[in-house]
Every structure is written in structure tokens, then in C-alpha cells.
């Protein structure tokens, strides 16, 4: 899968009820597993034993998990739940009617509890064929490889000397400001008082100015 070397192929099916029958899930997530997912297959395992790349303290292994969908969508909370339960770094491949989409979350180890990971931001490729989503194996370590894949999906170009974490924090700040602009625009549209409209318009202009500075390097 993804054009990865045969040495990394694993091809193990994971019964989806292993997640919602034996682990603590909310009724909403359990329903999403049942309604949205057809099959989960652990397609590839990337480790120093299967590919000529070294592990690091941060990224010891990378797993490629294919999720065959019943419909062309998945609740992101399902991905987050799987990510939390499987401690490795994961590349998700969503499959639906011959089309695929690659999804990667920025996975960080908890600063308070060892071996506990959190993912709060996911990045998605466009839907395409298998050939559209082939991955180039680059770098000397699994961490370099993982970060390179992640950078290809983040719709923002990293600045000079900007770390992945800093880039993602900037991306999240941009998205927050975009949401704020939309909220203010709706508020201005429904506002009847002229003076209040002027205030809201000025606030939107100030936020857009901040947004332009944050967007430097945007693809």
C-alpha cells in the first residue's frame, strides 16, 4: 500500500468490534464504527526491522492502517480514538469505491504521562486513486519520514527554522482567526445599528491584517 516496500507489508485484519466492544467508547463513537466502517486492515508496519530507517525516541514505528468505509466520510473522533489506543504513529488510508484518502494526525507524547499520546489536528489528502497517494521513502529515520509525509499534507509552507509543532500551531491560529471572521461577518449582517456595523467591520479588518502576517508562506 502507498507504494511502500514489500518488506513492510503486514496485511492483518483488525475486527472493528475489538475497539468498541472491549474498550471504553461513547455510544456515538460505537455507532460511527458500526455505521461508517466496513473493514479495518493493518496494511504496513514500518520499523527498523522492516525498512532501512532508524527509530528515534519520538517515532519508534509507523503503522499504515486502511479503513474501508461504507460511506465517503468518517467521524474524526473515530480516528482519534484509534490513534490513542494504538501507541505508534499512524498513517490512515481511507478507502471508498476504489478511491483513497490519506490522513495523518500530529501525534505528541504527553508531557505529563509517559507513553500516552495525544492528537488534536488531522491533515487530509485529496481523494484519489492508489497511484495518486504513493509515498516517497526519504530520510534517515522514521521520524524524518513521518514529518515529511505530514508536511506534504499541511496546507501551509513552513518558514525558515520553523519546527513542525510551530507550523501546526500557526495553522491552528489561522483557522481560529478565519472562524472568528466568519462569526463577525454573520453578526454584522444581522446587526441593525450603523455604529455597531462600523465597529464590527473594523474588527474584521484588524483580524484580516493579523491573518495576512500568519499566512506568509501559505501554499
Amino acid at each position: 500500500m502507498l507504494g511502500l516496500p514489500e518488506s513492510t507489508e503486514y496485511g492483518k485484519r483488525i475486527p472493528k468490534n475489538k475497539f468498541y466492544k472491549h474498550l471504553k467508547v461513547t455510544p456515538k463513537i460505537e455507532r460511527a464504527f458500526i455505521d461508517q466502517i466496513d473493514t479495518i486492515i493493518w496494511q504496513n508496519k514500518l520499523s527498523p526491522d522492516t525498512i532501512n530507517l532508524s527509530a528515534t525516541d519520538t517515532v519508534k514505528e509507523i503503522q499504515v492502517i486502511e479503513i474501508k468505509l461504507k460511506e465517503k466520510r468518517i467521524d474524526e473522533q473515530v480516528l482519534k480514538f484509534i490513534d490513542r489506543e494504538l501507541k505508534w504513529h499512524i498513517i490512515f488510508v481511507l478507502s471508498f469505491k476504489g478511491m483513497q484518502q490519506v490522513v495523518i494526525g500530529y501525534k505528541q507524547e504527553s508531557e505529563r504521562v509517559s507513553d500516552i499520546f495525544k492528537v488534536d489536528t488531522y491533515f487530509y489528502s485529496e481523494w484519489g486513486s492508489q497511484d495518486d497517494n504513493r509515498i516517497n521513502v526519504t530520510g534517515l529515520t522514521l521520524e524524518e519520514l513521518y514529518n515529511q509525509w505530514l508536511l506534504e499534507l499541511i496546507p501551509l509552507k513552513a518558514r525558515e527554522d520553523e519546527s513542525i509543532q510551530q507550523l501546526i500551531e500557526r495553522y491552528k491560529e489561522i483557522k481560529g482567526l478565519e472562524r472568528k471572521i466568519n462569526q463577525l461577518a454573520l453578526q454584522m449582517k444581522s446587526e441593525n445599528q450603523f455604529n455597531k456595523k462600523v465597529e464590527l467591520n473594523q474588527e474584521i479588518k484588524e483580524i484580516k491584517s493579523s491573518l495576512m502576517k500568519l499566512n506568509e508562506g501559505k501554499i
Side-chain angles (χ1 to χ4, degrees):
M1 176 154 281
L2 303 179
L4 291 167
E6 288 185 11
S7 58
T8 68
E9 292 178 1
Y10 193 55
K12 181 180 179 180
R13 181 169 173 169
I14 306 174
K16 61 183 182 180
N17 63 8
K18 271 198 168 184
F19 290 101
Y20 63 80
K21 288 294 184 185
H22 306 292
L23 301 169
K24 292 182 179 179
V25 297
T26 64
K28 181 182 177 182
I29 293 179
E30 180 178 347
R31 196 73 252 165
F33 268 100
I34 295 168
D35 293 345
Q36 298 174 7
I37 296 176
D38 179 48
T39 310
I40 301 174
I41 304 173
W42 189 342
Q43 291 285 16
N44 298 80
K45 175 181 178 180
L46 282 70
S47 71
D49 295 330
T50 65
I51 195 168
N52 191 27
L53 294 173
S54 302
T56 66
D57 290 340
T58 303
V59 182
K60 297 178 174 65
E61 291 186 12
I62 302 172
Q63 317 300 340
V64 178
I65 305 292
E66 181 183 14
I67 301 178
K68 295 186 177 182
L69 300 173
K70 294 180 178 179
E71 51 190 41
K72 199 178 178 181
R73 71 180 187 89
I74 189 168
D75 190 323
E76 196 171 271
Q77 292 303 313
V78 171
L79 301 181
K80 191 172 288 189
F81 180 80
I82 295 173
D83 243 334
R84 283 201 306 263
E85 294 303 320
L86 303 180
K87 308 304 180 185
W88 308 284
H89 286 69
I90 298 173
I91 312 295
F92 290 105
V93 179
L94 308 181
S95 298
F96 181 74
K97 292 186 176 179
M99 303 291 283
Q100 292 185 343
Q101 182 181 49
V102 177
V103 185
I104 305 177
Y106 181 55
K107 197 164 188 172
Q108 294 176 283
E109 190 169 9
S110 171
E111 296 178 355
R112 293 178 296 176
V113 185
S114 179
D115 290 329
I116 297 297
F117 289 85
K118 60 178 183 177
V119 183
D120 63 3
T121 308
Y122 283 91
F123 299 94
Y124 297 74
S125 74
E126 297 294 329
W127 282 93
S129 67
Q130 290 187 17
D131 289 337
D132 292 331
N133 288 316
R134 294 175 72 85
I135 287 176
N136 294 319
V137 177
T138 59
L140 298 175
T141 67
L142 292 167
E143 184 172 359
E144 288 177 9
L145 178 61
Y146 184 82
N147 287 344
Q148 183 57 45
W149 292 347
L150 193 54
L151 282 170
E152 290 180 9
L153 294 186
I154 299 173
L156 195 65
K157 187 176 179 181
R159 294 167 174 167
E160 188 176 355
D161 298 325
E162 186 175 42
S163 68
I164 287 253
Q165 184 173 355
Q166 290 168 333
L167 173 63
I168 291 173
E169 290 303 320
R170 182 160 62 95
Y171 171 84
K172 288 161 62 177
E173 189 173 354
I174 287 169
K175 290 299 169 185
L177 291 180
E178 288 176 344
R179 287 192 296 271
K180 182 65 175 177
I181 288 171
N182 290 335
Q183 290 168 1
L184 291 173
L186 289 173
Q187 189 177 343
M188 189 170 72
K189 188 176 180 179
S190 61
E191 180 58 59
N192 294 321
Q193 294 185 25
F194 176 76
N195 289 343
K196 185 62 176 176
K197 279 182 178 288
V198 171
E199 289 177 12
L200 290 169
N201 189 52
Q202 181 59 35
E203 188 175 354
I204 288 173
K205 286 181 178 179
E206 291 172 0
I207 295 174
K208 283 184 175 179
S209 177
S210 299
L211 199 55
M212 284 181 64
K213 295 176 183 177
L214 284 170
N215 263 314
E216 290 176 4
K218 189 171 184 179
I219 296 172

